[in-house]
Amino acid sequence: AQSVSQHNHHVILSEAASLELGCNYSYGGTVNLFWYVQYPGQHLQLLLKYFSGDPLVKGIKGFEAEFIKSKFSFNLRKPSVQWSDTAEYFCAVNAPYKLIFGTGTRLQVFP
Amino acid sequence: GAGVSQSPSNKVTEKGKDVELRCDPISGHTALYWYRQRLGQGLEFLIYFQGNSAPDKSGLPSDRFSAERTGESVSTLTIQRTQQEDSAVYLCASSHRTGGREKLFFGSGTQLSVL
């Protein structure tokens, strides 16, 4: 069955530190990949998405992700985090007739 | 069950027909969300329930869309007189608060195709 794994459940960083959140999926066919963010008290927002083309995708707020097909991975990165990046981050995979989310990673950034 | 359950997983309907989508949240989760994702786009918020009340219906795209939740459990999303632009994956999520943090759990979605 298709699944999405986010191995980092809780990440704590200081401001200006670099961030990388892991996302691996299991599905052998063509997929669309997403990262969503949920800020405290708000709804999910789309950070970035990959459908095809350049595997390095740039999103909002300085986030980027790289699709590595051979590793079934779509890791999220940001070179320098800010306190306002404190949120829950979800990786999602859109396979045929399915939209599958990972369990989420809680990011806490301290000043 | 252990997770959020949505049914049907796949629905094909004709333009103009009504459809009803169902979400069974995790037992004890008071918050329930409906989102949709149309082809090539990100998630679009539809409605949020806290218990049986819906304090935020701001995302419902038209009066053809309605949702209800009974007994702080099952929720149904109804789309009347479906249009082709309603084709999307409709996603349900429920959540609970622990340690001041809201933890979301997702269903696997209902793929709606309007012909």
Side-chain angles (χ1 to χ4, degrees):
Chain A
Q2 301 96 330
S3 65
V4 176
S5 298
Q6 291 182 245
H7 303 294
N8 315 106
H9 299 294
H10 189 188
V11 174
I12 301 173
L13 295 173
S14 299
E15 277 193 316
S18 64
L19 170 72
E20 181 160 2
L21 302 182
C23 173
N24 288 86
Y25 65 95
S26 63
Y27 180 69
T30 301
V31 294
N32 299 325
L33 299 158
F34 305 84
W35 275 97
Y36 286 92
V37 60
Q38 184 186 25
Y39 297 104
Q42 298 185 27
H43 307 133
L44 288 171
Q45 297 177 36
L46 179 67
L47 273 180
L48 46 78
K49 60 185 178 182
Y50 172 80
F51 280 22
S52 64
D54 188 344
L56 184 61
V57 179
K58 294 195 183 297
I60 62 171
K61 306 187 180 186
F63 286 91
E64 64 178 33
E66 185 175 12
F67 171 52
I68 303 179
K69 189 174 181 180
S70 61
K71 295 184 178 180
F72 297 91
S73 70
F74 191 55
N75 291 356
L76 181 71
R77 300 194 292 249
K78 185 170 183 178
S80 177
V81 295
Q82 301 173 315
W83 175 79
S84 57
D85 293 324
T86 294
E88 294 268 355
Y89 291 81
F90 294 91
C91 179
V93 171
N94 196 181
Y97 306 111
K98 294 269 189 184
L99 181 58
I100 307 162
F101 278 75
T103 53
T105 297
R106 183 185 188 193
L107 173 64
Q108 283 184 292
V109 181
F110 289 97
Chain B
V4 178
S5 177
Q6 289 188 247
S7 61
S9 57
N10 186 27
K11 175 73 176 177
V12 181
T13 190
E14 292 179 350
K15 179 181 172 181
K17 300 282 189 184
D18 297 352
V19 295
E20 190 173 278
L21 311 181
R22 177 186 169 106
C23 173
D24 280 278
I26 293 173
S27 178
H29 283 194
T30 57
L32 186 148
Y33 300 81
W34 281 100
Y35 291 87
R36 75 175 175 183
Q37 179 167 296
R38 290 192 277 191
L39 188 64
Q41 300 181 23
L43 282 181
E44 180 184 353
F45 167 75
L46 297 178
I47 188 169
Y48 158 65
F49 286 94
Q50 182 61 41
N52 294 337
S53 65
D56 190 347
K57 303 180 182 180
S58 63
L60 294 178
S62 76
D63 60 7
R64 296 186 296 104
F65 287 72
S66 63
E68 64 177 28
R69 188 179 184 196
T70 56
E72 290 198 356
S73 59
V74 173
S75 176
T76 54
L77 176 69
T78 302
I79 309 172
Q80 297 177 306
R81 305 181 302 281
T82 53
Q83 303 294 312
Q84 288 182 330
E85 64 263 26
D86 299 334
S87 296
V89 175
Y90 288 82
L91 185 72
C92 176
S94 68
S95 72
H96 72 279
R97 287 197 174 274
T98 177
R101 170 192 180 192
E102 182 180 21
K103 180 63 178 169
L104 273 177
F105 294 80
F106 297 92
S108 56
T110 294
Q111 174 76 58
L112 175 66
S113 301
V114 182
L115 304 180

